[in-house]
Amino acid sequence: MTPEITPRDWEAISAYLDDQLAPKERQKLEARLERESHLRRTLEELRQMKQVLRAQPVMRAPRNFTISPQMAGIRQGARTGYSPFPLLRLASVLAAVFFVLLVAGDLVSSRLQPASVARVKGWEIFGRGGGGGGGGGEVPPPQAVQVVTEEVAAEQPAATIAAEVETVAKAVEVTVTQAITEGVTLALMPTATPILEAQTAPADTSQALTPTPEPTMLAMPIEEPSPTPELAVEPTAPDVGAEEKLQQEPGEAAIASPAPLPPEAGALQISLVRILQILLALLAVGAGIAAYLARRSTS
Amino acid sequence: MVEAELIKEARRGDLDSFNRLVLAYQDLLYSHAYRMMGEAEAAEDATQDAFISAYRNLGSYRGGSFKAWLLRIVTNRCYDELRRRKRRPTTPLEPLDRDDEEIESPRWMTDPGETPEEAVDRAELARALQNCLDGLPAEFRAVVLLVDIQGMDYAEAAQVVHTPLGTVKSRLARARLRLRECLHGFWELLPVSMRLVEESGV
């Protein structure tokens, strides 16, 4: 009666046939092959079967499988090696980064500023829509700038760093807005801010409000000033605003009058930040999903 | 033009260079796909998809065996299709003869050097082998095709199926055991030398 071949023996014989046994195992098996005839028969049978398989012919292709330019274009949409995945991934990451910065800046500014100052001073700095980047200078009315200066001075030195974080966040916010409206790649470098410039030279507000080449931004009051004395915005601001208008580069939007705006306008400007946040979040998610699909389609 | 030059040009976007590679490897890929899928139409689809995917992903080819790289792509395509069919079984698309047996494409059967009887014997053996291969799990079938039919070593086969070498060794042994048991049913089709081994073993 022929002894059964154990699975372990079978695997050893199979590997031995392909010269894939470790030296020690090979020696053991060869010693057993000399003693056990059924192992020898199994080895020979396996060898013959392998030869039969190896003798199977390579089948001729029924037709040519060459690729036409149309096929390559339809199936891939681009030339060799191109995949939209890296670009989409970068877009998703950038959108997510700017979204986080925008939210962080918004949170920091809302936490650091007293509520009353935040309402009155609620100057929204935003880029001019549809522009080619050629904006005006930083033009918050001098009274509001002075209010800011006073508030900052009152909280110093503890709030210095926080104010700088706020201004950096707002500068990034401006840059993001510009890039979105102009359709260009977002710049990551924060730019000088008008508030800082105004603070360094409060005595000479006209010079402090001189337009700088970049960033291009306009300051618009978003809410009626509070009746509290330290936050009062005097009606003489229009004169300064007129001076600033003359100093602006051509093609820029007119400087906003410091006359108090209806609350709805202020709320509208605040909601612009929210819209930007939502848009960036959607862009991050959308680009991420597109990158995943692009990666999947190429795998 | 040597293969390396063709690959280099193809990676630059030269479709003609890539198509020359297609002509060089299409028989190999089609054979493998046919034996994986067990039918001609599915094998054609898998082969065509594999070449298109290869062209699109030439940027991911990092050198080494181009043959193994292509076989990996077509093997994966076959796996995908087999899994899809497992979820949604389909009826065979091959035409049937008078005995309701599937008529396979005879293209690969032509060999000017053999007699008609030899051709018939060879065809029947091939059919028997294909039946036994079809009975194997897809992963087992792949390693048998790569090692025993394509002649790859374990390392190259491991690269194609993207599994450790030990797994290839184990799957191959189990696949060969199942093939051996299956081929006993087609004993009369086996070459005489194999039958002699069987007789002496009884």
Side-chain angles (χ1 to χ4, degrees):
Chain A
M1 183 174 168
T2 306
E4 289 288 327
I5 302 289
T6 64
R8 189 170 180 176
D9 285 343
W10 177 264
E11 187 170 324
I13 291 171
S14 174
Y16 176 77
L17 183 64
D18 299 320
D19 201 23
Q20 293 288 329
L21 271 187
K24 205 172 181 181
E25 291 180 7
R26 184 186 182 89
Q27 282 177 0
K28 279 187 188 174
L29 182 62
E30 285 176 346
R32 287 185 63 194
L33 284 169
E34 287 181 8
R35 295 192 305 268
E36 301 173 43
S37 61
H38 70 284
L39 286 182
R40 288 198 299 274
R41 277 196 298 274
T42 301
L43 175 62
E44 190 56 30
E45 185 180 337
L46 193 53
R47 192 192 309 275
Q48 297 287 350
M49 188 176 75
K50 184 176 176 179
Q51 284 177 356
V52 169
L53 288 169
R54 196 70 185 95
Q56 293 305 299
V58 174
M59 301 165 72
R60 289 209 298 270
R63 60 176 176 83
N64 278 341
F65 290 97
T66 50
I67 299 173
S68 66
Q70 185 183 10
M71 289 168 71
I74 287 173
R75 295 295 181 115
Q76 69 167 44
R79 282 294 181 186
T80 306
Y82 171 75
S83 169
F85 170 72
L87 192 64
L88 290 170
R89 182 176 58 182
L90 178 64
S92 176
V93 167
L94 285 177
V97 165
F98 284 117
F99 171 74
V100 168
L101 285 174
L102 199 60
V103 169
D106 199 28
L107 282 173
V108 167
S109 66
S110 62
R111 281 191 180 184
L112 289 179
Q113 294 174 4
S116 57
V117 174
R119 272 204 307 278
V120 173
K121 196 191 73 68
W123 297 100
E124 283 289 330
I125 302 177
F126 61 93
R128 188 66 177 170
E138 303 84 21
V139 291
Q143 289 74 10
V145 169
Q146 199 168 3
V147 165
V148 172
T149 306
E150 289 171 357
E151 288 296 322
V152 171
E155 295 176 16
Q156 283 196 1
T160 305
I161 296 175
E164 289 180 359
V165 169
E166 173 196 338
T167 53
V168 168
K170 287 195 173 169
V172 171
E173 180 182 324
V174 171
T175 312
V176 165
T177 310
Q178 286 181 351
I180 289 175
T181 54
E182 297 171 10
V184 297
T185 306
L186 300 175
L188 293 178
M189 296 299 295
T191 55
T193 63
I195 294 179
L196 285 176
E197 288 181 3
Q199 287 172 357
T200 55
D204 188 3
T205 55
S206 61
Q207 287 186 2
L209 297 175
T210 300
T212 58
E214 61 177 347
T216 58
M217 57 186 80
L218 289 178
M220 295 284 290
I222 60 171
E223 195 170 343
E224 217 169 341
S226 152
T228 55
E230 64 271 22
L231 302 175
V233 177
E234 299 183 14
T236 56
D239 294 334
V240 177
E243 287 180 13
E244 293 161 355
K245 192 186 293 187
L246 292 175
Q247 295 172 2
Q248 283 183 358
E249 294 176 7
E252 295 171 348
I255 297 170
S257 164
L261 294 177
E264 295 78 12
L268 187 65
Q269 292 178 5
I270 292 175
S271 70
L272 182 63
V273 176
R274 296 285 175 259
I275 292 172
L276 284 175
Q277 291 173 349
I278 293 169
L279 285 175
L280 282 172
L282 289 174
L283 179 64
V285 171
I289 292 174
Y292 168 73
L293 292 174
R295 181 75 179 260
R296 196 177 170 190
S297 67
T298 58
S299 64
Chain B
M1 216 174 178
V2 296
E3 180 176 290
E5 284 296 315
L6 288 173
I7 294 170
K8 193 176 171 185
E9 290 301 316
R11 288 178 74 161
R12 286 183 189 158
D14 184 359
L15 189 56
D16 288 338
S17 293
F18 183 79
N19 281 331
R20 289 174 70 175
L21 291 169
V22 170
L23 293 174
Y25 282 104
Q26 61 183 9
D27 290 345
L28 178 80
L29 255 65
Y30 176 76
S31 290
H32 185 71
Y34 184 92
R35 292 189 170 110
M36 281 291 295
M37 301 304 300
E39 58 178 71
E41 190 166 331
E44 285 187 44
D45 290 343
T47 305
Q48 186 69 80
D49 284 348
F51 278 125
I52 291 171
S53 177
Y55 178 71
R56 189 169 59 189
N57 293 290
L58 265 176
S60 68
Y61 171 65
R62 303 277 182 235
S65 172
F66 191 67
K67 170 183 163 185
W69 187 72
L70 287 175
L71 282 170
R72 180 174 174 179
I73 295 173
V74 74
T75 302
N76 286 337
R77 281 286 180 274
C78 292
Y79 280 164
D80 292 343
E81 178 61 17
L82 288 168
R83 275 190 221 112
R84 189 192 69 80
R85 289 185 176 193
K86 209 171 179 181
R87 288 193 298 268
R88 295 176 188 173
T90 58
T91 54
L93 298 175
E94 297 285 350
L96 304 177
D97 60 13
R98 271 176 280 181
D99 298 322
D100 287 336
E101 294 283 334
E102 288 181 11
I103 302 173
E104 295 179 0
S105 170
R107 287 187 192 85
W108 50 266
M109 293 171 59
T110 58
D111 184 348
E114 60 186 5
T115 65
E117 292 77 17
E118 287 171 345
V120 170
D121 288 342
R122 185 168 63 77
E124 287 185 1
L125 176 60
R127 188 199 298 262
L129 278 172
Q130 188 60 49
N131 278 331
C132 292
L133 286 170
D134 289 344
L136 295 175
E139 295 78 16
F140 287 16
R141 196 182 318 154
V143 293
V144 165
L145 294 178
L146 292 170
V147 175
D148 286 340
I149 293 186
Q150 300 289 352
M152 288 185 166
D153 58 26
Y154 284 22
E156 213 174 5
Q159 184 188 351
V160 172
V161 296
H162 203 59
T163 56
L165 195 143
T167 305
V168 170
K169 181 176 164 182
S170 167
R171 285 181 182 173
L172 183 61
R174 291 157 69 185
R176 282 169 168 171
L177 183 60
R178 291 201 191 189
L179 273 179
R180 173 196 181 222
E181 291 165 1
C182 179
L183 285 173
H184 282 173
F186 300 94
W187 181 77
E188 66 277 7
L189 296 174
L190 295 174
V192 173
S193 53
M194 278 196 75
R195 277 186 271 166
L196 283 175
V197 171
E198 281 294 315
E199 285 172 355
S200 63
V202 174

